[in-house]
Amino acid sequence: MAASQPLIAQISGATHDYGKIRALDNVSLELPSGRMVGVIGPDGAGKSTLLGLIAGARKLQAGSVTVLGGDMAKARHRQSVCTRIAYMPQGLGKNLYQEISVSENLTFFGTLFGLSASERDARIHRLAAATGLLPFLDRPAGKLSGGMKQKLGLCCALIHDPDLLILDEPTTGVDPLSRRQFWTLIGDLRHERPTMSVVVSTAYMDEASYCDQLIVMDHARVLASGTAEELRARTGEQDLEAVFVALQPGQKSQSRRLVIPPRKPSTEAPVIVARNLTFRFGSFTAVDRVSFTIERGEIFGFLGSNGSGKTTTMKMLTGLLAPTEGEAEVCGRPVDASDLSIRRRVGFMSQSFSLYGELTVRQNLLLHARLFHLAADQVKDRIASLLADVGLVDYADAQANSLPLGVRQRLSLAVAIVHDPELLILDEPTSGVDPQARDEFWRLLADLSRSRNVTIFVSTHFMGEAMRCDRISLMHAGRVLICDTPQNVIASKGGTDLEEAFIAYIEDAEASSSAPKAAAPPAETLQKVEVSSGRSTFMPARRILAYAKCETLSLMRDPVRLAFAFLGSFIMLLIFGYGVSSDVTNLSYAAFDHDNTPESRSYLANFSSSTYFIEKGAIHSLDEMEQRLKSNDITLAIEIPPNFGRLVERGSDWQVSALIDGANTSRAATIEGYVQQAHNLFSDQRDRESSAPASSDPTTSLMVRYRYNPTAESIYSIGPSVPGMLLMMFLAILMAVSVAREKEIGTITNFYATPTTRLEFLIGKQLPYVGVGMINFLLMTATVLFLFEVPLKGDGLALALGALLYVAAATGYGLFISTFTSSQVAAVFAGAVLSMLPTMQFSGMMQPVSTLEGGARVMGWLWPTSYYVHMSVGAFTKGLGFSDMATDLLALSLFGPAFLLLSMLLLRKQEK
């Protein structure tokens, strides 16, 4: 590279490991400014890691990365240049929030990058018009097609007019027309801003030809770097796919062109017959009167634009969806969603990897062999044969999650054919896979079709793959536009290749449809937007509110999380209020009266007249007594012996037997107290009625009254205390899931690659759930007041202030949990366990904190629920006022900031 040519980025000796896997091995590169640099390589070569390091979204482990004149290992430099960098991660819409609209996504990104409202709105209009998204600004991002999602992702990346644009396989899984539009937009942007640098990784070699410079990677190293012409001259190949294969170590002599032999005509009945298949999601027609036939042993390509209905059609043919109208036959039998026998004759490979990542390759095959009821004596040989046939012998004992994408796809294929199906249905099986891996995959398909006469129904966005099919069907907007051989499809439009014919058919279909058309781009170019100087003063608050609004909208449009947030605690409170009680009442008992005298009946009257006991039919034998206790018909049996009345009349010693069901020890102890009280009442009454002279010794008695709860009903304790437990549990779970969800779906990259600080991100995520918590507090308080009829005697405003502080503590604790959980499932379990156990054991719900000892007592002091429960129970039952709650309020005010500070220290601003 010429010494005078400026650099946008320089990488020196970069090495990066994921556990035992090396993603980058001493990589050194220089990326020129104002150029488009393409990074190509097989799956697992290290492309995404390299781009993440350049963007500052991934933490540098070894070496140096200099971008825009500074060291990306330094947080201060990353913070200063992130407004000049745009990073679009790999995956369809991975940087988008699916529940909010196109306009709301763009507004969110514009706010994060410091645009004023007027600047932001102008950029949104210009970008949306340029990409054809203007008619769809109100549509949720999750309901866009794949191509539209990628366009929106690009708009979000370009909203702040960056100097460096980093795109990680931006068109993977996108149809040819959308890909062409995407690259046309990139070209227009570069023409308008020649100084903007672009770094892009891609699996499409035709896209690599757009780049000024190419970097070829494999096994964590850079194999070659130069212009396309330089690489062609180096390898002696003209086709870029052939250049790519030739540059792989050892491939120059081994590479061989994939040629699929012609299919012999079949005289058998068609394997698939579709007649006017239609499927509707509500009022939306996803598949509209689709008809075609597929012969045995045929490779049938299913092409179409994103969202055209290909996957829905495939699911109807496999019995996973029942058609709204029309009919389909597979292997000579009508497809019935409830008929599992059809599925045993069909192998289905879904668009996304859907195997068990924690299992090894061999274990996944063994599991699916058993699911399809392969004979036990055949399983071992079948798995060994598959491992050899699809080239997985070296990966047999590796976990599925650790495999490169191309190897994962081979595993998915092996699983789909483990039961030796007659029909194989593949939904975009090579999306995101490099050319070499795609060729190997298609060699397997060709062998299945030509050697084993397996019918293959495959959808793809690669036109090179479509040319390998015997026939293809082109679908758009739920309808089949043409069904013929690839050569005839090309000839029908007079084009030179299949991609031209595909685009021509889609454009003709769109021109004749009534679908909304994109407005023409405005005449003005996308001028560089200058961020207002007042940004430093107001931007932290604006970014916090942007995250808060985004989270609020996402929550309100997600019915599952919304129901959990507002109904979960209410339902649980009802369960606790009505189903959990320490009151022991309505005790069923029966008497086995051997005496049957006035004295025995008087003794039993102390039980029948009590509000605690319910009398059941008399017992007539010891066997009956045992049986009724065992069957839970009664919990207490009273046996009065013969001559009981005579002994009482004489003043002699007497005794009665009481048999208590002791299966529940605490309940049995309470029943024993009730029995003893009734027994003593009869005994005292007989003493008073006795004619014996009174004792000269004075008698004393103790009168016990319950202060604050005269009736000693447990609802007066449970009602005010359970909301504290539920607020902690539900808010901790919701808060932890909110952040873990960003990690799981990939939107956490927006935090890594934007100027958002840790504190801004955490507070922005927290604020909506503080509001959720306060609504839950009001809802549960009203339930306790009006449904459980527990009066609030103290200061309600002071209690509400305590609830606000407690909610801040509970959500802060959820943020802390989110720092060490990376999936929503883990966040739910961690949030539930780590909130419930301390709350139940150390908050005073089971026993007062003052009675705890050692570490348990310290834990009680350090747990916010202890202070809130004390406040809540005191406000309801003791009439505590603000001054009485001041100590608890002060303690609660410390927990929220403490958890927030701890979360801020533990939250990573870069991915490892």
Side-chain angles (χ1 to χ4, degrees), residues 234-247:
R234 176 174 170 175
T235 60
E237 301 283 355
Q238 291 303 307
D239 182 72
L240 279 179
E241 289 205 8
V243 170
F244 172 84
V245 174
L247 286 171

mmCIF file of all heavy atoms in Angstrom, residues 234-247:
data_model
loop_
_atom_site.group_PDB
_atom_site.id
_atom_site.type_symbol
_atom_site.label_atom_id
_atom_site.label_comp_id
_atom_site.label_asym_id
_atom_site.label_seq_id
_atom_site.Cartn_x
_atom_site.Cartn_y
_atom_site.Cartn_z
ATOM 1 N N ARG A 234 -3.326 -14.198 -9.179
ATOM 2 C CA ARG A 234 -2.573 -15.079 -8.262
ATOM 3 C C ARG A 234 -3.018 -16.528 -8.378
ATOM 4 O O ARG A 234 -2.199 -17.446 -8.291
ATOM 5 C CB ARG A 234 -2.753 -14.575 -6.832
ATOM 6 C CG ARG A 234 -2.104 -15.441 -5.778
ATOM 7 C CD ARG A 234 -2.214 -14.777 -4.427
ATOM 8 N NE ARG A 234 -1.802 -15.682 -3.355
ATOM 9 C CZ ARG A 234 -1.713 -15.321 -2.070
ATOM 10 N NH1 ARG A 234 -1.992 -14.084 -1.716
ATOM 11 N NH2 ARG A 234 -1.333 -16.199 -1.169
ATOM 12 N N THR A 235 -4.320 -16.750 -8.578
ATOM 13 C CA THR A 235 -4.844 -18.124 -8.603
ATOM 14 C C THR A 235 -5.010 -18.678 -10.012
ATOM 15 O O THR A 235 -5.158 -19.891 -10.187
ATOM 16 C CB THR A 235 -6.210 -18.179 -7.898
ATOM 17 O OG1 THR A 235 -7.125 -17.300 -8.578
ATOM 18 C CG2 THR A 235 -6.090 -17.762 -6.438
ATOM 19 N N GLY A 236 -5.028 -17.805 -11.013
ATOM 20 C CA GLY A 236 -5.262 -18.260 -12.365
ATOM 21 C C GLY A 236 -6.717 -18.565 -12.654
ATOM 22 O O GLY A 236 -7.038 -19.183 -13.676
ATOM 23 N N GLU A 237 -7.609 -18.167 -11.755
ATOM 24 C CA GLU A 237 -9.054 -18.390 -11.928
ATOM 25 C C GLU A 237 -9.728 -17.052 -12.220
ATOM 26 O O GLU A 237 -9.307 -15.999 -11.732
ATOM 27 C CB GLU A 237 -9.662 -19.005 -10.667
ATOM 28 C CG GLU A 237 -9.061 -20.332 -10.262
ATOM 29 C CD GLU A 237 -9.561 -21.484 -11.124
ATOM 30 O OE1 GLU A 237 -10.442 -21.258 -11.972
ATOM 31 O OE2 GLU A 237 -9.063 -22.607 -10.944
ATOM 32 N N GLN A 238 -10.804 -17.094 -13.008
ATOM 33 C CA GLN A 238 -11.542 -15.880 -13.306
ATOM 34 C C GLN A 238 -12.795 -15.728 -12.456
ATOM 35 O O GLN A 238 -13.135 -14.632 -12.019
ATOM 36 C CB GLN A 238 -11.929 -15.856 -14.795
ATOM 37 C CG GLN A 238 -10.739 -15.686 -15.718
ATOM 38 C CD GLN A 238 -9.951 -14.419 -15.413
ATOM 39 O OE1 GLN A 238 -10.508 -13.311 -15.346
ATOM 40 N NE2 GLN A 238 -8.640 -14.576 -15.227
ATOM 41 N N ASP A 239 -13.490 -16.839 -12.203
ATOM 42 C CA ASP A 239 -14.697 -16.800 -11.369
ATOM 43 C C ASP A 239 -14.281 -16.638 -9.904
ATOM 44 O O ASP A 239 -13.394 -17.355 -9.408
ATOM 45 C CB ASP A 239 -15.481 -18.092 -11.545
ATOM 46 C CG ASP A 239 -16.762 -18.078 -10.726
ATOM 47 O OD1 ASP A 239 -17.688 -17.343 -11.094
ATOM 48 O OD2 ASP A 239 -16.808 -18.812 -9.712
ATOM 49 N N LEU A 240 -14.921 -15.699 -9.198
ATOM 50 C CA LEU A 240 -14.504 -15.416 -7.830
ATOM 51 C C LEU A 240 -14.750 -16.589 -6.889
ATOM 52 O O LEU A 240 -14.027 -16.772 -5.912
ATOM 53 C CB LEU A 240 -15.226 -14.167 -7.301
ATOM 54 C CG LEU A 240 -14.617 -12.826 -7.729
ATOM 55 C CD1 LEU A 240 -15.425 -11.665 -7.171
ATOM 56 C CD2 LEU A 240 -13.169 -12.718 -7.279
ATOM 57 N N GLU A 241 -15.790 -17.392 -7.157
ATOM 58 C CA GLU A 241 -15.990 -18.581 -6.326
ATOM 59 C C GLU A 241 -14.828 -19.540 -6.508
ATOM 60 O O GLU A 241 -14.344 -20.144 -5.547
ATOM 61 C CB GLU A 241 -17.322 -19.249 -6.655
ATOM 62 C CG GLU A 241 -18.532 -18.482 -6.186
ATOM 63 C CD GLU A 241 -19.747 -19.381 -5.970
ATOM 64 O OE1 GLU A 241 -19.599 -20.620 -6.051
ATOM 65 O OE2 GLU A 241 -20.837 -18.836 -5.712
ATOM 66 N N ALA A 242 -14.354 -19.682 -7.744
ATOM 67 C CA ALA A 242 -13.200 -20.547 -7.995
ATOM 68 C C ALA A 242 -11.944 -19.959 -7.368
ATOM 69 O O ALA A 242 -11.087 -20.694 -6.854
ATOM 70 C CB ALA A 242 -13.007 -20.735 -9.498
ATOM 71 N N VAL A 243 -11.817 -18.644 -7.380
ATOM 72 C CA VAL A 243 -10.683 -17.983 -6.719
ATOM 73 C C VAL A 243 -10.711 -18.282 -5.227
ATOM 74 O O VAL A 243 -9.682 -18.628 -4.625
ATOM 75 C CB VAL A 243 -10.733 -16.461 -6.957
ATOM 76 C CG1 VAL A 243 -9.712 -15.743 -6.076
ATOM 77 C CG2 VAL A 243 -10.476 -16.144 -8.419
ATOM 78 N N PHE A 244 -11.893 -18.166 -4.632
ATOM 79 C CA PHE A 244 -12.037 -18.426 -3.194
ATOM 80 C C PHE A 244 -11.620 -19.854 -2.855
ATOM 81 O O PHE A 244 -10.845 -20.091 -1.925
ATOM 82 C CB PHE A 244 -13.489 -18.182 -2.783
ATOM 83 C CG PHE A 244 -13.806 -18.594 -1.378
ATOM 84 C CD1 PHE A 244 -13.551 -17.750 -0.316
ATOM 85 C CD2 PHE A 244 -14.356 -19.840 -1.110
ATOM 86 C CE1 PHE A 244 -13.835 -18.139 0.980
ATOM 87 C CE2 PHE A 244 -14.643 -20.231 0.170
ATOM 88 C CZ PHE A 244 -14.382 -19.375 1.231
ATOM 89 N N VAL A 245 -12.119 -20.816 -3.619
ATOM 90 C CA VAL A 245 -11.791 -22.220 -3.352
ATOM 91 C C VAL A 245 -10.307 -22.473 -3.558
ATOM 92 O O VAL A 245 -9.667 -23.181 -2.774
ATOM 93 C CB VAL A 245 -12.641 -23.143 -4.249
ATOM 94 C CG1 VAL A 245 -12.212 -24.596 -4.101
ATOM 95 C CG2 VAL A 245 -14.118 -22.987 -3.911
ATOM 96 N N ALA A 246 -9.722 -21.882 -4.596
ATOM 97 C CA ALA A 246 -8.312 -22.112 -4.895
ATOM 98 C C ALA A 246 -7.401 -21.560 -3.807
ATOM 99 O O ALA A 246 -6.294 -22.076 -3.604
ATOM 100 C CB ALA A 246 -7.967 -21.474 -6.244
ATOM 101 N N LEU A 247 -7.846 -20.517 -3.112
ATOM 102 C CA LEU A 247 -7.012 -19.924 -2.064
ATOM 103 C C LEU A 247 -7.027 -20.706 -0.766
ATOM 104 O O LEU A 247 -6.203 -20.453 0.116
ATOM 105 C CB LEU A 247 -7.463 -18.479 -1.801
ATOM 106 C CG LEU A 247 -7.081 -17.455 -2.867
ATOM 107 C CD1 LEU A 247 -7.776 -16.127 -2.604
ATOM 108 C CD2 LEU A 247 -5.571 -17.264 -2.918
#
